[in-house]
């Protein structure tokens, strides 16, 4: 190709020359007026640009959400309560409590990236189904006070309402929120309104104003000790409020095992 022709094409492709030619062509055309309303045109272009940005953001958000959902595994989690537990309220000495036989199941979620080779690592978020949770009642069969069994007619029935939280499978730290109602009764002659207990059962240290304790982290066998301190408010029952010196604090020390079973992966 001749050098003259090449130089000519190079000059035509120069952006400044192209802009100059396009501007002249637009000015000469009677059918395409040059920017009759600059403000209106600028606003329209800006609005279109914003609309495109919004669509891009929407697509990006959907992609992130779909990725997050696809990177979640669902895990079965099982809890079993053991003997050697303690319960305490107000300034009374602790009750020796045998929670052997208690159990519950639930679901846990964990990122797939933290669950390689079917081995959990990192934090697992757990939520127990309260319909499956059973915690043995405080009774003469399960509880001793000052080394003596409780009288046969005394009974405290425990009804869990919430048990959920997180477990770090690497460090073994456990933090589970427990909300439960404790129903105190004396045979069939007296039944008090429930005591509401809302606390965090932790493998770390739990401390209140008059009560406290330290748990033990989850080990390789799934054993742990969970401790929680909660404030107990008056229930409007003169006998119970006076007998327990409400408002006061209660303490729960629970020995348990926690195990996981993988049921689904993405």
């Amino acid at each position: 190709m001749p050098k003259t022709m090449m130089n000519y094409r190079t000059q035509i492709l120069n952006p400044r020359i192209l802009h100059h030619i396009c501007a002249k062509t637009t000015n000469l055309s009677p059918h395409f007026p040059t920017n009759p309303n600059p403000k209106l045109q600028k606003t329209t272009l800006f609005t279109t640009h914003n609309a495109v940005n919004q669509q891009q953001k929407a697509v990006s958000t959907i992609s992130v959400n779909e990725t997050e959902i696809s990177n979640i595994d669902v895990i079965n989690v099982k809890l079993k309560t053991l003997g050697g537990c303690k319960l305490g309220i107000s300034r009374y000495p602790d009750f020796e409590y045998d929670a052997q036989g208690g159990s519950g199941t639930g679901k846990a979620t964990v990122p797939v990236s933290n669950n390689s080779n079917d081995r959990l690592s990192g934090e697992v978020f757990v939520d127990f189904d309260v319909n499956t949770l059973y915690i043995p009642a405080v009774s003469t069969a399960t509880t001793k006070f000052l080394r003596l069994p409780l009288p046969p007619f005394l009974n405290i029935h425990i009804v869990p309402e919430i048990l959920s939280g997180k477990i770090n499978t690497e460090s073994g730290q456990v933090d589970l929120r427990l909300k439960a109602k404790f129903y105190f009764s004396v045979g069939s002659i007296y039944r008090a309104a429930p005591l509401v207990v809302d606390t965090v059962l932790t493998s770390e240290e739990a401390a209140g104003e008059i009560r406290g304790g330290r748990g033990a982290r989850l080990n390789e066998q799934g054993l742990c000790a969970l401790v929680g301190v909660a404030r107990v408010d008056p229930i409007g029952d003169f006998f119970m409020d006076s007998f327990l010196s409400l408002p006061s604090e209660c303490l729960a020390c629970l020995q348990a095992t926690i195990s996981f079973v993988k049921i689904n992966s993405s």
Side-chain angles (χ1 to χ4, degrees):
M1 181 182 294
K3 290 185 178 181
T4 304
M5 182 62 70
M6 289 178 64
N7 292 336
Y8 175 74
R9 288 189 174 185
T10 303
Q11 292 175 0
I12 290 296
L13 293 176
N14 187 291
R16 294 182 178 179
I17 296 176
L18 282 174
H19 175 75
H20 181 69
I21 294 173
C22 291
K24 285 187 174 182
T25 305
T26 304
N27 289 335
L28 293 174
S29 174
H31 302 291
F32 299 97
T34 59
N35 198 12
N37 191 341
K39 183 180 292 186
L40 179 60
Q41 186 179 24
K42 184 177 181 180
T43 303
T44 303
L45 289 173
F46 182 76
T47 304
T48 304
H49 179 69
N50 278 348
V52 172
N53 281 344
Q54 291 298 325
Q55 289 176 351
Q56 290 175 343
K57 288 181 180 179
V59 171
S60 176
T61 302
I62 293 172
S63 299
V64 169
N65 290 338
E66 287 177 349
T67 301
E68 289 175 352
I69 292 172
S70 65
N71 284 341
I72 294 296
D73 263 6
V74 178
I75 308 294
N76 263 339
V77 58
K78 188 170 184 178
L79 170 76
K80 288 184 178 181
T81 55
L82 308 173
C85 305
K86 291 183 179 181
L87 294 174
I89 190 165
S90 190
R91 297 185 182 277
Y92 289 104
D94 292 340
F95 293 84
E96 298 174 30
Y97 173 54
D98 183 357
Q100 184 82 32
S103 64
T105 59
K107 294 290 187 293
T109 55
V110 57
V112 172
S113 58
N114 291 349
N115 193 14
S116 59
N117 300 322
D118 293 329
R119 184 173 182 178
L120 294 178
S121 63
E123 285 191 342
V124 178
F125 297 89
V126 299
D127 186 14
F128 287 91
D129 181 358
V130 293
N131 293 320
T132 69
L133 275 176
Y134 166 66
I135 300 177
V138 176
S139 66
T140 187
T142 62
T143 310
K144 292 181 179 181
F145 181 66
L146 299 177
R147 298 187 178 182
L148 296 174
L150 288 184
F153 49 84
L154 289 180
N155 187 78
I156 302 175
H157 187 55
I158 304 172
V159 180
E161 294 187 338
I162 297 173
L163 184 60
S164 62
K166 61 183 180 180
I167 299 172
N168 191 308
T169 57
E170 293 180 353
S171 67
Q173 181 171 340
V174 181
D175 295 290
L176 301 176
R177 181 195 173 193
L178 170 68
K179 183 178 181 182
K181 289 183 178 179
F182 287 64
Y183 291 85
F184 180 88
S185 64
V186 180
S188 60
I189 62 174
Y190 173 75
R191 292 183 181 180
L195 300 174
V196 179
V197 174
D198 195 342
T199 186
V200 173
L201 295 174
T202 180
S203 59
E204 310 307 293
E205 183 177 4
E209 294 181 1
I210 62 173
R211 287 286 186 173
R214 175 175 287 278
R217 293 187 174 188
L218 194 70
N219 65 17
E220 293 182 356
Q221 289 73 42
L223 291 169
C224 64
L226 305 178
V227 178
V229 175
R231 173 187 168 88
V232 181
D233 293 321
I235 59 174
D237 182 296
F238 177 77
F239 171 73
M240 289 294 290
D241 291 348
S242 302
F243 180 66
L244 299 177
S245 302
L246 302 181
S248 189
E249 290 179 348
C250 71
L251 170 71
C253 300
L254 191 68
Q255 303 285 339
T257 64
I258 300 175
S259 56
F260 299 95
V261 179
K262 185 173 179 180
I263 60 175
N264 183 35
S265 62
S266 300

